[in-house]
Amino acid sequence: MATFQSLPGFRDFYPDDFARRKHICDLWRRTAHAFGFAEYDAPVLEPLELYKAKSGDEVEGQLFSFTDKGGREVALRPEMTPTVCRLVGAKANALKRPIKWFNIGEFYRYERMQKGRGRSFFQLNADIFGEPGPEAEIELIALLVQSLCAFGLTEQDFYIRLSDRNLWFYYLEALGLDGSRVREMLVAVDKHEKYGDDAFKGYVEQFGPLDAGLKAKVLGFLQIKSFAALEQMFASLQSDKLPARLADWKKLLGGLDAMGLTRFVEVDLGVVRGLAYYTGFVFEAFDRKGELRALAGGGRYDDLVEKLGGPALPAVGFAIGDVTTGLLLEQRGLMPNFIQAPDVYCVIGGDAARRAAFADIHALRAAGRRVDYPMKEVAFGKQFKAAADSGAKLALIYGDDELAKGVVKIRDLSDRTEREVPRDQAQAAVRDYFSA
RNA sequence: GCGGUCAUAGCUCAGUUGGUUAGAGCACAAGAUUGUGAAUCUUGGGGUCGCGGGUUCGAGUCCCGUUGGCCGCCCCA
């Protein structure tokens, strides 16, 4: 047993594991680029205060934080949002709008391990700054959908629940609740799915007994699962903000429909995301079977850039993690088998043959071809087996017979045909094979 | 931070009421085999049985602690 092991919650990426992670990150990157998002990055280590300013002092318990040698309180980044707000805020006036940015990076949280959650993970973060209307949500939800469809997942495999904190505010205000009572009620709504009526305990403890009529109305609202039901609910309510908001909803749902994404999206007012900094539409992606933790989450946070010291700048974004996405792909058999196959495997006789082979091997490699060969002298039979096992398309055979004739034997490993070419034409023959 | 459960070779596991030098399959390596592909046979390397303590003539096995994994709670940006 090895003396040292990786820290709890951290993963080692052996080549097979790394190939899976790379597969996920590569497709995310390609997808984000297809949507016109620009990639950025920033330090993994940030001032602790950045996260406290966004989430409150309590977050420190969930952070990898420490004091550096200069006496600075620092933390490994647990999320990208504060960092990207810092970046955008610092240059907001110089950046072309809309600002569509994404990042793929590693994040760290000091938490207890569970299925789908460790202390280090990779996320795609995508954000749009400077666009106050639902056009930004259309773009981001479409990107989120495609970030999963790119792997072959379909509406059978996952869906997105769409909700709106603004509507909750308007609704609860229309019912006569003030600001702090609204926030407390939203916490209860967030927990209702999990705890049922017990979710209201916190509200009751803070504000006294819950009026039966009010509770019934809240329960009715959080069970709304369609835009039609939403409109009907508001038909009888008086509010000056509602018509504009319902128009936003129409624009958002209309845009998603035009992109053919309606089958992925379900209106669900039961989602509010407990995070206080969300200010409008919020959305979460889940697997259809409901067996995994959330795949992705996001929403609008129009106040955060300013709160973190930048100018007032509307923003909406989401993040999707590699762990749950990977679990879902494994579940559905959509994780490919990755083989690190060379293009060419060389079968080599004795020392003289080896010297001849080396010249071609290096030249082919310099031209970008993947070439491998046995490092030690090995029986021919084993070399052919190794060539087949390697997954290479071609075997180049440098034996004493070929050397004497001044040729190289080229074996096509897929159909087992062989032919001989003069030594000085071997590289060209390989090039022609792969360009054909 | 709390609770449950587990820990034997690189992997999957066996190991009897506590009893000789802890086993198998797979994987890896060498050979049979210096000229042709998933085969066969032989052989080999690999373990202080997670770690520490206790009970015992004797512990992989029983007890306590600890570390780590898995599952759940809290939390989940």
Side-chain angles (χ1 to χ4, degrees):
Chain A
M1 198 54 66
T3 308
F4 294 108
Q5 46 186 305
S6 65
L7 260 12
F10 287 84
R11 295 169 288 167
D12 290 322
F13 290 91
Y14 285 81
D16 285 350
D17 308 309
F18 185 78
R20 282 189 271 273
R21 180 182 119 196
K22 180 170 150 51
H23 177 241
I24 291 171
C25 292
D26 283 353
L27 279 182
W28 280 346
R29 179 170 287 111
R30 194 185 308 165
T31 305
H33 277 134
F35 278 68
F37 283 66
E39 188 167 12
Y40 67 95
D41 205 355
V44 295
L45 198 62
E46 291 272 21
L48 174 61
E49 197 54 34
L50 181 63
Y51 304 111
K52 285 189 176 177
K54 184 208 165 206
S55 308
D57 291 348
E58 320 81 60
V59 287
E60 188 169 356
Q62 328 248 15
L63 298 179
F64 272 95
S65 59
F66 56 94
T67 306
D68 76 6
K69 291 181 182 178
R72 285 171 285 261
E73 294 284 319
V74 297
L76 287 169
R77 63 185 181 193
E79 57 166 329
M80 205 60 183
T81 306
T83 298
V84 71
C85 287
R86 179 169 66 73
L87 263 59
V88 169
K91 297 196 175 180
N93 294 331
L95 296 169
K96 262 200 177 76
R97 312 286 177 90
I99 301 161
K100 296 165 62 175
W101 283 10
F102 80 97
N103 167 262
I104 295 167
E106 188 169 17
F107 298 87
Y108 310 87
R109 297 179 186 175
Y110 199 87
E111 295 190 280
R112 192 86 174 122
M113 292 261 313
Q114 256 175 68
K115 187 176 188 180
R117 188 176 77 182
R119 290 180 169 181
S120 143
F121 51 92
F122 291 80
Q123 277 190 341
L124 163 67
N125 276 264
D127 297 272
I128 296 179
F129 295 88
E131 176 49 62
E135 293 82 358
E137 275 88 345
I138 294 172
E139 192 75 340
L140 281 165
I141 291 172
L143 173 57
L144 171 50
V145 169
Q146 191 55 33
S147 296
L148 289 162
C149 289
F151 298 96
L153 294 166
T154 70
E155 73 270 24
Q156 312 286 319
D157 301 310
F158 75 95
Y159 69 111
I160 289 168
R161 303 167 75 188
L162 174 64
S163 182
D164 181 1
R165 285 172 68 95
N166 281 0
L167 274 189
W168 271 105
F169 273 105
Y170 301 162
Y171 185 66
L172 294 176
E173 279 167 9
L175 292 179
L177 274 64
D178 63 26
S180 68
R181 295 178 73 198
V182 166
R183 270 191 298 279
E184 187 64 29
M185 187 61 83
L186 286 183
V187 172
V189 169
D190 187 45
K191 296 188 171 180
H192 185 269
E193 187 164 11
K194 201 166 182 181
Y195 298 103
D197 284 2
D198 284 352
F200 290 105
K201 267 187 187 165
Y203 177 89
V204 170
E205 281 163 12
Q206 192 161 345
F207 300 107
L210 187 56
D211 178 77
L214 175 60
K215 182 175 170 182
K217 283 177 178 168
V218 170
L219 287 177
F221 196 66
L222 71 78
Q223 277 156 18
I224 286 177
K225 296 279 199 279
S226 74
F227 183 62
L230 200 56
E231 280 187 302
Q232 198 179 348
M233 173 72 74
F234 282 115
S236 59
L237 269 181
Q238 295 300 320
S239 166
D240 43 348
K241 298 169 183 165
L242 270 175
R245 193 52 178 165
L246 290 175
D248 285 344
W249 268 88
K250 273 183 188 162
K251 189 178 275 185
L252 172 53
L253 293 174
L256 293 173
D257 185 45
M259 287 188 176
L261 305 179
T262 303
R263 62 188 190 279
F264 293 99
V265 179
E266 295 186 2
V267 175
D268 188 342
L269 274 291
V271 177
V272 295
R273 293 179 71 76
L275 304 324
Y277 63 89
Y278 282 118
T279 56
F281 288 108
V282 291
F283 47 93
E284 299 183 324
F286 289 89
D287 71 297
R288 284 276 186 193
K289 287 186 179 168
E291 292 172 349
L292 303 172
R293 307 174 67 82
L295 290 158
R300 181 166 283 277
Y301 50 99
D302 283 347
D303 301 333
L304 200 53
V305 177
E306 187 173 23
K307 189 177 174 187
L308 293 176
L313 192 65
V316 46
F318 76 85
I320 177 168
D322 72 309
V323 180
T324 311
T325 301
L327 286 172
L328 182 60
L329 294 179
E330 303 275 7
Q331 256 188 22
R332 304 301 157 93
L334 289 171
M335 189 66 90
N337 248 335
F338 298 100
I339 305 165
Q340 283 271 25
D343 298 321
V344 174
Y345 193 94
C346 294
V347 174
I348 301 170
D351 284 340
R354 181 164 289 256
R355 278 192 296 277
F358 272 16
D360 285 343
I361 287 168
H362 189 77
L364 286 168
R365 286 170 163 178
R369 194 58 56 197
R370 293 188 191 187
V371 183
D372 213 348
Y373 64 94
M375 303 251 274
K376 290 179 191 153
E377 201 162 322
V378 177
F380 262 68
K382 287 225 161 158
Q383 292 197 53
F384 279 103
K385 181 163 161 24
D389 288 345
S390 76
K393 307 256 188 326
L394 289 184
L396 296 190
I397 302 156
Y398 297 83
D400 292 337
D401 300 348
E402 288 79 7
L403 211 57
K405 288 199 282 183
V407 300
V408 175
K409 192 180 278 180
I410 299 179
R411 181 178 176 84
D412 187 320
L413 290 165
S414 54
D415 63 15
R416 305 190 178 192
T417 58
E418 289 181 350
R419 67 199 168 96
E420 293 183 341
V421 301
R423 276 259 304 280
D424 57 5
Q425 291 173 30
Q427 292 173 36
V430 170
R431 191 184 59 228
D432 292 347
Y433 176 90
F434 283 102
S435 60

